[in-house]
Amino acid sequence: MTVNVPVTSTTIATASESPLAPNAVPAVWARMQIADLTQQMTHTDDRDGELADQIKRIALDYNLMSAYTAFVAVDGSRKTAGTQGTTVPVPVPVPDGVKYENTVEDGG
C-alpha cells in the first residue's frame, strides 16, 4: 500500500558557509535578467539598441559573458621590453564563403 503524504523540510544556511555564497545570488539574478532581456528581444524591435545596451551593462557589471560581451585572455607570463606593449598580428582563418578583402581593412 502506497500513501502519499506531503513532507516539509526546513534547511537553514548562512552565507558564511561558503566563500562563494555572497556572490552567487547577484550572479544568478544577473543571468536571469540577461535571459529575460534576450527573450524580450525576440518579441520586440530593438532598433535603438536599448535592450542590447542593458544586456551589455548587466554583463559588465556582474562579470558575465553575453552575446554582446566577451572575455579576453592576456598572457602575463611574457613581458616585452620597455613600458609599451607590442602588437602581434595573429592569423585567423577566414570562414568558407567569406572574402578576406571584404572583411579586413587595407591598412593604408
Side-chain angles (χ1 to χ4, degrees):
M1 174 182 198
T2 303
V3 178
N4 293 325
V5 180
V7 177
T8 303
S9 174
T10 303
T11 303
I12 299 173
T14 61
S16 63
E17 291 178 11
S18 167
L20 301 177
N23 297 327
V25 173
V28 170
W29 174 87
R31 286 188 193 105
M32 293 182 75
Q33 285 296 110
I34 290 172
D36 184 50
L37 292 167
T38 303
Q39 182 70 22
Q40 287 180 39
M41 290 181 79
T42 62
H43 301 290
T44 61
D45 185 11
D46 189 33
R47 289 184 189 200
D48 60 357
E50 181 181 330
L51 293 174
D53 288 345
Q54 288 179 32
I55 291 171
K56 264 190 278 189
R57 178 57 26 221
I58 291 170
L60 292 172
D61 288 348
Y62 290 87
N63 298 317
L64 299 172
M65 189 161 48
S66 73
Y68 304 98
T69 57
F71 291 116
V72 177
V74 177
D75 181 6
S77 65
R78 290 184 258 158
K79 296 187 179 192
T80 58
T83 59
Q84 298 294 327
T86 302
T87 301
V88 178
V90 178
V92 178
V94 178
D96 289 339
V98 175
K99 292 184 179 179
Y100 176 82
E101 297 80 19
N102 292 343
T103 60
V104 179
E105 290 184 15
D106 187 356

